[in-house]
Amino acid sequence: MNKQIVLHARPTEAIDPSLSSGTFRLRSVERPDKVPADKVLVRAHYLSLDPTMRGWLSARRSYIAPVEVGAVMRGPSMSQVIEVGSGLTSKYQIGDWVYTWAGWQEYALVGESEAEKIPIPAEGRPTDVLDTLGITGLTAYFGMLDVGELRAGDTVVVSGAAGATGMVAGQIAKIKGAKRVVGLAGTKDKCDFLVNGLGFDVAINYKDANWRDQLKDATPDQIDLYFDNVGGDILDACLARAARNARFVICGAISQYNTKKPKGPAAFINVISQRITIKGFIVFDYRPKYHIAREELSGWLAQGKLVRKEHIVSGGLEAAPQGLVDLFAGKNTGKMMIEIAPVSEAIAPKAKL
């Protein structure tokens, strides 16, 4: 059989993780027993959880169609090929690790365009395709370098800095010569990790009563580039600290996704007075350039310049709804993934993490 998690009801505010009365339902269907010539059958091992998933549950207009009620929840996974259709035997072998958009399910039939083999660098591991070499790393890369136009000597601030994208964005800023990189996170442990583990110059706990004063002290020359993952009060405070001609990269707004009335910034007038550029972006727009980013990201990983951090949740597919709720509660440091099946169950004994 093949377990799947499907959307049962669109949440109006917070996601309800209960599989009996909440946003999702668990169902079992027969696993495909015949593989068409143009498909491969994959088994998911690790499922990526990302803040953008909240938007996919809403019916409002967005960059991608919402998940339909009754459909398998959308999401990328690190999967292994377990059967190959006759027309794809020259491209795939049983045991290949692939990056797929198979959704929240244990097995899936996918076509060639849906099963991407991503080269893993020296000292790399298959889960890198969901993290540094996947949407997480690509978002940080293009957001910081293309949208944000990072310049050597910049003062850079990253919100949600201990999250999957934020921690990579901050590290890229350091690698590319930023003068000062400041991260905001929600616990002391996360702040300590940003400074001691990732090389941020300063980390601020936004739950401290005086975090705005800390932000001011940490940006004596104001903010040249702000990489925003959270929106709300932190975006507002950074607008108030923006340098002239600052660039504000709007990657996400996780603090606003579960509220009926999102909060806009009170310091918006600074956009005029300081000539601030604010630009949102969607990483899918950069698909033709993914290979360029992955080559550089792979090099940094292999050289030890880029540090990965994974937050892996056990419990199988059933753990995904609660994991998504925990992601919004900030319970992760680094990339959150659900372990659907341990790598010890992989087909090829040599396939190791």
Side-chain angles (χ1 to χ4, degrees):
M1 299 299 289
N2 176 27
K3 290 182 182 178
Q4 301 174 327
I5 291 182
V6 300
L7 176 61
H8 175 72
R10 299 195 186 282
T12 55
E13 293 188 47
I15 294 167
D16 182 345
S18 171
L19 285 171
S20 60
S21 60
T23 304
F24 302 101
R25 291 289 187 274
L26 178 70
R27 74 182 180 196
S28 291
V29 298
E30 289 190 11
R31 195 180 92 180
D33 59 357
K34 294 183 180 179
V35 180
D38 61 345
K39 302 285 186 181
V40 294
L41 179 64
V42 300
R43 183 188 187 188
H45 281 262
Y46 288 86
L47 177 70
S48 173
L49 295 183
D50 305 283
T52 190
M53 290 176 169
R54 179 62 182 82
W56 300 342
L57 299 176
S58 300
R60 62 176 177 267
R61 184 171 67 97
S62 186
Y63 66 93
I64 191 171
V67 177
E68 296 293 334
V69 173
V72 174
M73 177 59 188
R74 180 185 296 135
S77 61
M78 187 274 283
S79 303
Q80 189 178 39
V81 175
I82 60 173
E83 291 188 47
V84 182
S86 59
L88 295 178
T89 54
S90 65
K91 298 182 181 296
Y92 300 96
Q93 295 181 350
I94 292 175
D96 281 346
W97 291 108
V98 290
Y99 176 85
T100 69
W101 281 84
W104 289 16
Q105 57 182 329
E106 294 177 318
Y107 297 90
L109 282 172
V110 295
E112 183 179 355
S113 64
E114 303 166 302
E116 184 179 6
K117 291 197 290 185
I118 299 174
I120 299 171
E123 306 302 322
R125 48 199 184 198
T127 48
D128 287 336
V129 305
L130 293 182
D131 186 5
T132 315
L133 304 182
I135 295 301
T136 292
L138 296 171
T139 299
Y141 183 93
F142 291 112
M144 187 61 70
L145 301 182
D146 192 288
V147 183
E149 299 178 353
L150 175 69
R151 302 160 190 166
D154 275 349
T155 293
V156 177
V157 174
V158 181
S159 64
T165 300
M167 62 181 286
V168 178
Q171 291 184 86
I172 290 173
K174 292 296 292 184
I175 291 169
K176 290 292 188 176
K179 176 177 67 178
R180 192 171 181 82
V181 177
V182 179
L184 290 106
T187 69
K188 181 181 183 303
D189 287 345
K190 289 181 178 182
C191 289
D192 289 344
F193 174 70
L194 292 176
V195 175
N196 300 323
L198 302 183
F200 281 58
D201 295 286
V202 180
I204 298 167
N205 185 346
Y206 66 83
K207 294 180 182 178
D208 288 348
N210 67 338
W211 70 268
R212 288 179 176 82
D213 293 333
Q214 294 182 51
L215 178 64
K216 182 178 179 180
D217 292 342
T219 55
D221 298 320
Q222 283 80 46
I223 300 170
D224 299 302
L225 195 163
Y226 174 55
F227 193 103
D228 189 26
N229 290 299
V230 302
D233 291 338
I234 295 176
L235 170 59
D236 201 23
C238 289
L239 279 170
R241 293 295 302 159
R244 181 169 297 186
N245 297 313
R247 290 93 63 207
F248 274 50
V249 178
I250 310 302
C251 175
I254 195 169
S255 72
Q256 304 298 299
Y257 291 158
N258 285 325
T259 179
K260 287 183 177 180
K261 294 182 178 180
K263 179 181 179 181
F268 198 75
I269 193 71
N270 277 18
V271 174
I272 302 169
S273 64
Q274 300 305 315
R275 293 76 153 176
I276 301 169
T277 298
I278 300 178
K279 186 174 181 179
F281 76 105
I282 301 297
V283 70
F284 298 149
D285 296 341
Y286 291 90
R287 192 181 302 276
K289 297 181 179 180
Y290 281 2
H291 67 286
I292 298 172
R294 283 184 174 133
E295 182 176 354
E296 193 158 23
L297 290 164
S298 293
W300 292 335
L301 269 178
Q303 296 162 26
K305 293 182 178 180
L306 196 59
V307 177
R308 66 169 74 79
K309 177 71 172 176
E310 298 170 347
H311 183 106
I312 297 178
V313 179
S314 59
L317 189 65
E318 293 91 333
Q322 184 61 55
L324 189 57
V325 171
D326 290 345
L327 178 71
F328 282 92
K331 294 188 177 182
N332 62 303
T333 299
K335 178 65 182 179
M336 182 176 275
M337 308 178 201
I338 302 296
E339 185 181 68
I340 298 177
V343 174
S344 60
E345 297 181 6
I347 292 174
K350 65 181 179 179
K352 298 179 180 178
L353 289 181

